[in-house]
Amino acid sequence: MELHDVWFVLIAVLWTGYFFLEGFDFGVGILTRLLARDRAEKRVLINTIGPVWDGNEVWLLTAGGATFAAFPEWYATLFSGFYLPLLLILVCLIIRGVAFEYRAKRPEEHWQRNWETAIFWTSLLPAFLWGVAFGNIVRGVKIDAEFEYVGGLWDLLNPYALLGGLVTLTLFTFHGAVFTALKTVGEIRERARRLALRVGLVTAVLALAFLGWTQADKGDALSLAALVVAVAALVAALVANRAGREGWSFTLSGVTIVAVVAMLFLTLFPNVMPSTLNADWSLTVTNASSSPYTLKIMTWLAVIATPVVLLYQGWTYWVFRKRIGTQHIADPVH
C-alpha cells in the first residue's frame, strides 16, 4: 500500500471520528428544541455536551488540515467548488460556539432564548449540509480537465445529495437522543428514549434508501458488507434503546455512523472527487496527492501526535462521565 493510500484511509478515519463525536452533540443541539420543555431541561442538555463539544471539533480541523497537506488538489477543488455550503457550515460552527459561551452571560429571557435558538439552527444546518456535501463527493461533480469545479450551487442540490443530508440529519439526531438518554436521569431520560425510537425508525428508512442507492450505483462486495453492518447496527441500537440499555444503544448508533462513513469512502476509492464530465478528469489518490516526502513527514508526525490527542480526549470523557438531571442545575448567578 502506497503512502497516498494510507493517507486516504487516515482521512476517512478522521471524518469518521468527527461524525461519531460531533454527530451526537449536533443531535443534542437539535434536541434543545425538540425534547426540552423548559429552561432547566435545556441547560441539562447543553451541560451534557458542554465539556466536550469544542474537543469534538478538533477532528474537523485535523481532517481539513490533513486533506490540505496530503491531497492539496482535492482540498483546492473541494473548498472552491463547495465554497458556499462550506462557508455556511463554518459560520454555523462559529455562531454555535459563541452561543454556548454567551448564552448564560445575561439573565434576560429574550437573551437566553435567542442564543438557544441559535444553538438549534447551527446544529441542524451543519448536520444536514455535511450529508449533502459528502453525497456530492461520492456521486461526483462537474470537474474539468484542469481539475476545477465548473458546476453551480444548484448542481449540488440534487436528489441523491439531499437524501444524504436527510440521512445525516436524522442519524445525528438519533445519535444525540441516545446520548441524552445515556447521560441524563429522570423524566428527560425516558422522553429521550421514546424520541430516539421514533427518530431511529425514520432514520432506518432513509438510510436504507440512501445506502441502497449508493450500493446500486457504485458499490462492490466491501461496500455491501459495510451496508449490512450499518443496517444491522442501527436495528440493534433501536432494540437496545427499547430495552433501556443506553450504553449499548449509543455504541451501536456509533457503529452505524462508522459503517456509513466507511461505505461512502469505500465506494469513493481510488477517487477522491469523481468527475461527472469525464472519468479521466476525476481527482484520485494518485493525481491529487502531495509528494512522497511530504507524506512521509506527515506520517511520522501523525504517529507521534495522534496517541496524545486520543489520550487527552478520552480523559475528558472519563472525567465527565456521570449522568445529570434538573436537580443538578444550580440557580443562575449574575
Side-chain angles (χ1 to χ4, degrees):
M1 180 181 286
E2 300 290 337
L3 276 180
H4 50 67
D5 298 326
V6 171
W7 273 96
F8 179 86
V9 174
L10 290 176
I11 288 171
V13 170
L14 290 170
W15 281 109
T16 302
Y18 173 67
F19 287 139
F20 181 99
L21 297 172
E22 189 88 303
F24 72 73
D25 76 47
F26 280 151
V28 171
I30 294 168
L31 294 178
T32 57
R33 177 69 64 89
L34 303 181
L35 183 65
R37 292 179 175 174
D38 54 33
R39 175 126 300 117
E41 290 189 350
K42 288 181 179 181
R43 291 178 64 189
V44 168
L45 291 175
I46 292 172
N47 285 357
T48 62
I49 59 173
V52 298
W53 67 267
D54 49 353
N56 295 343
E57 292 185 355
V58 170
W59 289 79
L60 172 61
L61 299 175
T62 308
T67 303
F68 172 77
F71 299 100
E73 289 282 358
W74 183 13
Y75 182 93
T77 304
L78 176 65
F79 280 80
S80 60
F82 292 17
Y83 182 80
L84 286 177
L86 292 178
L87 177 63
L88 181 56
I89 291 173
L90 178 61
V91 171
C92 284
L93 294 179
I94 292 171
I95 295 174
R96 189 169 182 263
V98 173
F100 282 130
E101 298 297 333
Y102 276 76
R103 176 192 153 276
K105 296 297 184 182
R106 290 171 56 178
E108 291 89 346
E109 175 75 17
H110 70 277
W111 171 272
Q112 297 191 5
R113 184 176 62 251
N114 289 341
W115 285 120
E116 288 162 0
T117 300
I119 290 172
F120 170 76
W121 286 108
T122 56
S123 298
L124 185 148
L125 287 174
F128 175 73
L129 289 174
W130 280 126
V132 173
F134 271 84
N136 278 295
I137 291 172
V138 172
R139 172 182 173 269
V141 292
K142 294 179 179 179
I143 298 175
D144 65 11
E146 303 298 324
F147 300 139
E148 294 182 1
Y149 177 70
V150 293
L153 176 62
W154 294 110
D155 293 314
L156 303 179
L157 303 179
N158 55 82
Y160 177 80
L162 293 174
L163 179 59
L166 292 175
V167 170
T168 53
L169 175 60
T170 54
L171 182 56
F172 291 169
T173 305
F174 171 69
H175 197 40
V178 173
F179 178 79
T180 300
L182 177 65
K183 288 288 293 180
T184 58
V185 295
E187 185 183 353
I188 193 171
R189 174 187 177 189
E190 298 302 320
R191 278 190 275 118
R193 285 175 50 196
R194 292 195 295 269
L195 181 61
L197 180 61
R198 295 195 295 271
V199 175
L201 292 173
V202 175
T203 303
V205 174
L206 294 173
L208 188 59
F210 177 72
L211 297 180
W213 189 346
T214 305
Q215 179 64 26
D217 190 36
K218 296 178 176 291
D220 56 16
L222 287 175
S223 63
L224 179 59
L227 186 156
V228 172
V229 171
V231 173
L234 181 55
V235 171
L238 288 168
V239 172
N241 175 73
R242 186 174 179 82
R245 303 295 298 272
E246 291 99 343
W248 277 108
S249 184
F250 178 72
T251 301
L252 289 164
S253 68
V255 171
T256 303
I257 293 175
V258 171
V260 169
V261 179
M263 182 182 178
L264 295 180
F265 275 92
L266 285 169
T267 56
L268 187 61
F269 185 82
N271 295 318
V272 293
M273 283 191 76
S275 172
T276 57
L277 300 178
N278 188 325
D280 293 335
W281 298 344
S282 298
L283 287 167
T284 68
V285 293
T286 304
N287 64 24
S289 69
S290 294
S291 67
Y293 181 75
T294 300
L295 296 178
K296 184 177 180 180
I297 297 298
M298 289 175 60
T299 302
W300 281 110
L301 291 174
V303 168
I304 296 170
T306 302
V308 177
V309 174
L310 293 176
L311 282 173
Y312 82 68
Q313 192 162 24
W315 177 79
T316 302
Y317 278 93
W318 174 256
V319 169
F320 295 100
R321 66 189 181 277
K322 292 185 178 180
R323 296 177 182 266
I324 62 172
T326 52
Q327 67 270 30
H328 301 117
I329 302 299
D331 292 333
V333 177
H334 296 277

